[in-house]
Amino acid sequence: MIDIPRTIKLLSWIVNAVFWVLIIVISVILLSQLLMLFGMNIDFLSKFTIPVRQNNIALDSILINGLTVPVEASKVIVTVELDNMSGLFQLIFIVNILLTGVLLVYIVGRFRKLLKNVSKNIVFDQANVIFLKQGANAIFLFWILHDVLQDVYYQWYFGSLSHFTIKFPTMIFTNSFILGIVILAIAFIFERGVKLQQEQNLTI
Amino acid sequence: MPIIVNLDVMLAIRKMSLTELSERVGITMANLSILKKGKAKAIRFSTLALICEVLDCQPGDILEYRKL
């Protein structure tokens, strides 16, 4: 038998920890951007890796049992130094990172509030429905910023460089989108629960 | 709501206050107040039976159906 109050408390503790870690990370990134403005570069933050899917790159061929087998790379990881990119790319990249970071903090913050209410035994309440809907909307926005726009922009930017040909990712409905749908569905279920709770409260 | 609760009428007939009824039936004043004002969505049979026992009346003395 699962001890629900203890499970909720453990979950609250984890979500709280994630929330504060995200706050610290976003603050560090924000600080580093401010320092870069004053000409002080922080090495580990000016480099980032973009996983670029590159199909059909014939790298070389190898000999196996007398047969020459062509070797193709199915995935290429590109390490890009932000300093070497155009100003516009840098600006879009930084803004995107900061916005998605802030969104993540917001999403985790909503779930933090939800868990706080649930740990106080306030489950089917309109406030919790609002937290869930806000969380779902933020997840959809995150999906647009992080998955859709980022892929489209990288596709355009790196595609314009002569030595890269990028294939557009086939899966646009990634995990974030599906998670958003699931959270929205849970919000509607909670809404129904609120109505049932209200009826229960008015049953003498 | 077409169901009218005539609790205050029965309380007046029996010369009983809402506080006394609350103590004898074991329902909070807040809930009895909700019932008296007609804001309740439902009433349990067990609650109705307790009220009728204390007020020495029939359910029909407390509940009335009025077409809107």
Side-chain angles (χ1 to χ4, degrees):
Chain A
M1 193 80 175
I2 299 169
D3 185 353
I4 290 171
R6 200 179 277 184
T7 311
I8 297 287
K9 274 194 179 147
L10 180 65
L11 211 56
S12 290
W13 189 88
I14 292 168
V15 170
N16 268 331
V18 167
F19 180 77
W20 287 112
V21 163
L22 278 171
I23 292 275
I24 290 165
V25 166
I26 300 295
S27 304
V28 164
I29 292 174
L30 200 61
L31 185 67
S32 73
Q33 297 316 308
L34 284 170
L35 289 172
M36 272 167 78
L37 274 174
F38 291 107
M40 292 165 66
N41 270 357
I42 297 177
D43 194 43
F44 74 93
L45 284 169
S46 64
K47 289 191 178 105
F48 64 94
T49 57
I50 303 168
V52 167
R53 287 185 197 83
Q54 173 77 26
N55 295 334
N56 306 322
I57 306 173
L59 291 178
D60 210 330
S61 56
I62 55 172
L63 203 61
I64 303 175
N65 293 337
L67 282 171
T68 305
V69 178
V71 175
E72 289 183 355
S74 62
K75 190 176 180 183
V76 172
I77 307 291
V78 175
T79 304
V80 178
E81 289 197 27
L82 195 60
D83 289 342
N84 296 337
M85 297 293 112
S86 70
L88 179 64
F89 183 89
Q90 284 188 35
L91 182 66
I92 290 174
F93 179 78
I94 297 297
V95 167
N96 195 296
I97 290 284
L98 284 172
L99 277 176
T100 50
V102 165
L103 267 175
L104 267 176
V105 169
Y106 181 78
I107 291 163
V108 174
R110 296 295 95 187
F111 287 111
R112 196 167 154 247
K113 287 200 169 189
L114 171 71
L115 281 172
K116 199 175 171 182
N117 275 354
V118 171
S119 63
K120 286 183 198 168
N121 228 13
I122 304 166
V123 182
F124 295 110
D125 191 80
Q126 194 57 34
N128 288 347
V129 173
I130 290 168
F131 292 149
L132 282 166
K133 282 185 176 170
Q134 284 173 343
N137 290 337
I139 288 170
F140 285 130
L141 195 57
F142 177 86
W143 167 70
I144 289 168
L145 279 175
H146 186 263
D147 296 334
V148 178
L149 282 180
Q150 204 162 282
D151 277 340
V152 169
Y153 184 63
Y154 287 167
Q155 162 85 359
W156 167 77
Y157 186 81
F158 287 101
S160 65
L161 299 175
S162 59
H163 51 285
F164 279 110
T165 51
I166 314 282
K167 289 230 168 120
F168 197 83
T170 50
M171 279 288 291
I172 200 79
F173 296 111
T174 55
N175 298 340
S176 353
F177 182 80
I178 294 164
L179 182 66
I181 296 280
V182 168
I183 300 295
L184 206 57
I186 292 171
F188 287 128
I189 292 167
F190 261 68
E191 213 165 17
R192 183 78 188 103
V194 165
K195 287 196 173 95
L196 289 170
Q197 182 72 62
Q198 281 169 351
E199 268 185 34
Q200 172 67 21
N201 290 346
L202 291 173
T203 296
I204 312 298
Chain B
M1 179 69 103
I3 301 289
I4 311 294
V5 179
N6 296 319
L7 192 64
D8 44 358
V9 172
M10 279 315 299
L11 283 171
I13 293 169
R14 296 287 180 252
K15 294 187 176 67
M16 197 186 288
S17 68
L18 200 67
T19 314
E20 196 186 334
L21 180 67
S22 159
E23 282 165 14
R24 288 175 72 175
V25 171
I27 297 170
T28 61
M29 280 285 292
N31 280 349
L32 271 182
S33 181
I34 289 168
L35 187 64
K36 201 181 93 164
K37 285 177 189 170
K39 292 203 188 310
K41 291 273 182 210
I43 183 166
R44 295 186 185 90
F45 284 152
S46 54
T47 308
L48 187 59
L50 274 169
I51 293 172
C52 288
E53 190 185 333
V54 168
L55 292 176
D56 189 26
C57 63
Q58 291 294 313
D61 297 330
I62 302 171
L63 303 172
E64 181 194 337
Y65 173 74
R66 205 176 287 169
K67 224 174 196 176
L68 292 169

